[in-house]
Structure formats: structure tokens, C-alpha cells
Amino acid sequence: MGVMNSLEELKSIYMDASEWLKFLEAKHAGLFAVWTAALIAMFSTEQFYNISASWQGIMVAVVGSGLLINLIALAPFLNQRECIKNKLQKCTYEKYKTYDENAVFYITVFSKTYNTDADNRAESVRRYKDILQRRGFQNLDTPISIDYMMQIIDVSTVGSIKAYLFNVAAKYSMIVMVVGIIGMIIA
């Protein structure tokens, strides 16, 4: 694999990670729309106003929590407050750290380049470069190659966090639906 091939492959990996990020954002936007519709429907029915204020509060809290998960996921992560970003990165890393090494899949790029020192991007790039070199990539020290590796790591990080949050959102949605169905059967 020559210099151009390595650079072309890096571009291809970047595009793939970017497509995953777009896909994950679309999934979160879809769930956000569902929760928004549920909130609007809830306030649009007379039955909602006929139940006790405590049940109204519970229902608003349940729907609001669903909205909040997706709203957090739709926020730009690289500009987040450090405490939120670091906590989400750590939780995401804990979930995905056992994935096998893969130079292309965004979740493994994140998990294999993750380090707790956010200011040490060079260490993340070094880790990713090592993975790529084990796959036959060469001439990865050019400024443009380093730029692509940093972008791949950044997009993979954001994508992995969004994947983690979608997992949380999907589980939450399923639990709410099952409990809601059981509640309607019992009532």
C-alpha cells in the first residue's frame, strides 16, 4: 500500500465513520420526534386532564426523560462541558472496550484510541496509527494523514457516544412501551 493508497483509505474510513454518525443522528431525531408527538398527544387528550396531578406529573416526567436522552444525543459533543463529555465518553468506553481491534469500525476506533487525558490527542493518534500500520498502512506521518486520523478519531468518538445513547434511549423506550401496555391491560 503506497502513500496515495493509505491516504485514500483514510479518506474512505473517514467517510464511513461520517455516514455512521449521520445514521445515528437520524435515529435520535426519529426518537425525538416520537417523544415529542407523545407529549403533544398527551396534552391534547381530555383523559390526561381527568387523571390526578401526580399521575400527570409521572407521565410528563416519563416522556420528558425520553425527550431529554435524545436531546442530549443531538447536542454537539466536542463542544460540551467537559464533565458531561468525559462522563459520556467513560460510559461509552466501558460499554465498548471489549470490541476486537478494527481499523475501520467507528466504535472500535473510539475504544482503541480512547484515553482519559483529553488534551493528549497525540496519544490517540499514535494508537490509531499503530492499528493502521498493523494493517499495512504506510507513510502515516504526513500532516494530511495525521489530520485525517484526528478527524476519524473525533467522528468515531462522537458516533460511539451517540450509539451508546441510542442504546440507552431504545431500552428506555421499550421499557416505557411494555409498562404502558401492561398498565392499559390492567386498567
Side-chain angles (χ1 to χ4, degrees):
M1 191 178 298
V3 178
M4 263 329 258
N5 284 343
S6 289
L7 186 56
E8 290 304 313
E9 289 298 322
L10 285 173
K11 289 178 183 178
S12 177
I13 293 168
Y14 171 71
M15 292 304 297
D16 185 59
S18 296
E19 288 300 314
W20 274 107
L21 181 57
K22 289 178 195 173
F23 176 67
L24 289 160
E25 288 175 340
K27 289 170 76 168
H28 278 291
L31 263 181
F32 185 81
V34 168
W35 285 115
T36 301
L39 188 65
I40 292 168
M42 195 167 57
F43 282 112
S44 298
T45 63
E46 255 185 64
Q47 291 91 348
F48 177 74
Y49 299 101
N50 293 333
I51 60 175
S52 69
S54 58
W55 276 109
Q56 288 176 349
I58 290 170
M59 291 174 69
V60 169
V62 166
V63 173
S65 296
L67 274 168
L68 184 62
I69 294 168
N70 293 113
L71 191 60
I72 290 169
L74 290 169
F77 287 101
L78 295 178
N79 300 329
Q80 290 267 343
R81 292 181 174 232
E82 286 301 312
C83 63
I84 296 170
K85 184 174 116 179
N86 291 341
K87 177 68 173 164
L88 283 172
Q89 281 181 324
K90 185 176 181 187
C91 291
T92 302
Y93 173 73
E94 289 300 319
K95 178 167 179 58
Y96 299 125
K97 69 182 177 185
T98 59
Y99 277 46
D100 290 335
E101 184 176 282
N102 183 319
V104 178
F105 187 49
Y106 71 101
I107 288 177
T108 58
V109 170
F110 162 73
S111 67
K112 300 306 177 195
T113 62
Y114 172 76
N115 70 69
T116 55
D117 184 4
D119 295 329
N120 191 357
R121 292 186 68 187
E123 174 60 20
S124 294
V125 171
R126 185 199 61 74
R127 290 178 188 178
Y128 190 44
K129 187 171 131 183
D130 289 347
I131 293 168
L132 293 169
Q133 286 174 330
R134 285 192 288 275
R135 304 252 178 329
F137 282 67
Q138 300 172 0
N139 302 317
L140 294 172
D141 292 322
T142 64
I144 192 71
S145 293
I146 293 168
D147 288 346
Y148 267 104
M149 286 186 282
M150 284 192 297
Q151 280 298 104
I152 291 166
I153 292 166
D154 287 346
V155 170
S156 295
T157 299
V158 173
S160 296
I161 292 169
K162 288 179 187 273
Y164 170 78
L165 286 172
F166 188 77
N167 186 285
V168 170
K171 286 178 182 177
Y172 180 79
S173 298
M174 293 303 286
I175 289 168
V176 168
M177 285 193 309
V178 168
V179 169
I181 290 169
I182 291 171
M184 286 190 291
I185 291 172
I186 293 174

